[in-house]
Amino acid sequence: MGERRVPKRKPGRRRFLGLAAAAAAAAAGGLAACGTNRGAQSAEQQLGYQPSGTGAGGSSPSPQGEAGKAGNADWKISNAGPDDAIEGWSDRVSVLPGESFGLYVSTTAPGFTVSAYRMGWYGGARGRLVWKSDRLPGSKQEAAHLDPKTRMVSTSWARSTTVDTSGWPEGSYLLRLDADGGAGQRYVPVTVRSASTAGKTVIVNAVPTWQAYNLWGDYNLYNGQNGAYATRSLVVSFDRPYQYADGAGLFLVYEAPLIALAERLGIPLAYTTGIDLAGDPGLLKGATALISLGHDEYWSPEQRANATAARDAGTNLAVLGANCCFRRVRYEASPTGPNRTVVCYKTSFKDDPGFAAGQPPTNDYRVSPQADPESSMLGVIYDGYPVDEPYVVTNPGHWLYAGTGVQAGDSFPHLVGVEYDRVNTGFPTPKPIEILAHSPVTCEGRKSFSDSAYYTVPSGAGVFASGTMRWVEALDATGDGSSGADHSMNAQAGALTQRVTENLLRAFAAGPAGNTHPAQDNTAEVYGKA
């Protein structure tokens, strides 16, 4: 094992996925869109509706229980400090309420505290302080290790403390590490998962994808220290901090806005991670819906099989991003426990010892050997990167657009990006499938389309795919877009995605959506072929 110091670089890989927007997403105090520069009307009025629960005209009651509690807006990091001021990781991506996990912290300060914030709505505060530690002794831990065979970066730090989650509500948490004297702050994410999902909409934290993109230690599944694909990691470890968003990984941009909206609406929710979904075939028993969030690219075959089986038993599926379930991976143990590494050799799958031993290749699902395109589960299929295009409504009478007032041809700048999906019947495509938005895109000179689509299956389950990676991020879009925040998406995009997502969450929480909203196939009408 080699040792490496840990410089922190900006992402220099094949795509910039909006990580710089994390601060803007975290700073957004609420989901209600603000006024725009189009006269005195708000975006909601221009779209013909008042979002539920945001004003006198809202139809939703105030959130009850945990979601209705007062929050703590001071969860946001205000002083990250130098790169090595403080950082850490947990030895479990998730725990059940009452279970404990180890926290591993390296800091240049003599001490630090840990504050556990449950992320949600909380009247717009977006977080609530659930627990805070006493002051703990701090130390600078040893340098990272680089495995010479797989180029996996990991640490073998000493455990700093054990955290007991007794009394913690289920949910997605950010632990904030605060070094003595204001020397620095960092997040450590952890999920307090639900023991039962029956009757609930299941939020899946896409931790395998967060780790795939994690460039802490200069290596991830896309490139190595020199920025080249050939020197990328073949395996990545959870035994290291997240580099992006001050340690929050991809959570703040691609997941937190949807959680806040769902809690504001009072939807019964359960929480889990992609790794837990892979490990428990019964996890989704009785669940009303499964929500894949903004960027959920890396799935194991077990994870996909369990989600598909739930769909075929009547659980609705919402894919609120793009590039979902694109990579086939395997989860393996590290010295800290099971399922602590993500294995994905991609084009080098033949070099994977697991593949040589008879396990599935860790490559793209759509390519051989064992090709199994993701479209058979999603309805749409990943089509490319990068794009930055308007979202164009083509089926305004669809029930998901109810209350928006949109008309055919209405467009919403920048909402399609940076990756996108489309319906492509050249791949396995469930029928009937209904295209709601058919947005022209040009991807590196190639003309194509991004599609929002909805299909239904005999179990009654409905499946919705947004077709754009920016859907969840857009939930926080406000103003006229001129600030550049949220990829310059404006309040109209925020209002549209809020209302469509609200319609979706309510319908999916009520049971198999296909029973009340069967899809009406229109692929021939849209694409000119069946």
Side-chain angles (χ1 to χ4, degrees), residues 52 74 234 328 518:
S52 296
D74 62 353
L234 304 174
R328 179 166 35 204

Side-chain angles (χ1 to χ4, degrees), residues 379 381 422-431 433 521 523 527 529-530:
I381 195 160
R422 60 168 289 188
V423 173
N424 185 341
T425 55
F427 293 94
T429 304
K431 295 292 188 77
I433 188 166
D521 199 286
T523 52
Y527 277 104
K529 57 184 178 180

Side-chain angles (χ1 to χ4, degrees), residues 411-448:
S411 65
F412 299 82
H414 308 292
L415 181 50
V416 175
V418 62
E419 298 186 296
Y420 69 97
D421 298 341
R422 60 168 289 188
V423 173
N424 185 341
T425 55
F427 293 94
T429 304
K431 295 292 188 77
I433 188 166
E434 201 168 4
I435 298 171
L436 289 65
H438 187 58
S439 308
V441 302
T442 301
C443 186
E444 296 186 333
R446 178 176 60 89
K447 294 186 181 301
S448 188

Side-chain angles (χ1 to χ4, degrees), residues 131-345:
W131 171 84
K132 186 173 181 178
S133 74
D134 295 330
R135 181 184 179 274
L136 299 166
S139 63
K140 178 68 174 172
Q141 304 236 30
E142 67 179 56
H145 302 289
L146 179 69
D147 182 88
K149 293 182 179 179
T150 64
R151 297 179 292 278
M152 178 185 74
V153 173
S154 62
T155 71
S156 54
W157 293 351
R159 180 182 290 201
S160 303
T161 190
T162 299
V163 179
D164 179 2
T165 67
S166 295
W168 294 24
E170 301 166 356
S172 298
Y173 284 76
L174 291 179
L175 309 184
R176 195 185 68 206
L177 310 177
D178 291 272
D180 281 357
Q185 299 172 304
R186 288 295 188 281
Y187 294 124
V188 176
V190 68
T191 302
V192 177
R193 70 182 186 272
S194 303
S196 172
T197 66
K200 297 179 181 179
T201 293
V202 184
I203 302 292
V204 182
N205 295 132
V207 295
T209 300
W210 303 357
Q211 197 55 251
Y213 285 86
N214 183 14
L215 204 53
W216 192 92
D218 260 359
Y219 286 80
N220 64 12
L221 290 180
Y222 292 88
N223 49 258
Q225 187 180 29
N226 64 359
Y229 174 76
T231 61
R232 73 196 183 279
S233 295
L234 304 174
V235 182
V236 288
S237 173
F238 286 99
D239 296 351
R240 58 175 180 159
Y242 288 106
Q243 175 177 333
Y244 301 129
D246 297 324
L250 304 184
F251 173 75
L252 288 172
V253 172
Y254 293 114
E255 304 192 5
L258 183 282
I259 293 171
L261 174 60
E263 291 205 347
R264 193 195 81 194
L265 296 174
I267 302 295
L269 299 177
Y271 297 83
T272 193
T273 73
I275 288 177
D276 297 304
L277 177 56
D280 184 358
L283 177 66
L284 298 177
K285 184 177 181 181
T288 56
L290 174 68
I291 310 295
S292 167
L293 295 165
H295 197 186
D296 192 6
E297 181 176 347
Y298 288 76
W299 287 52
S300 74
E302 297 82 4
Q303 186 177 347
R304 179 174 172 178
N306 293 342
T308 301
R311 177 202 65 182
D312 294 344
T315 298
N316 301 303
L317 172 61
V319 180
L320 301 183
N323 192 217
C324 179
C325 195
F326 182 68
R327 311 282 190 187
R328 179 166 35 204
V329 302
R330 186 172 67 252
Y331 306 129
E332 293 185 341
S334 82
T336 61
N339 301 320
R340 294 291 298 172
T341 68
V342 181
V343 181
C344 193
Y345 278 64

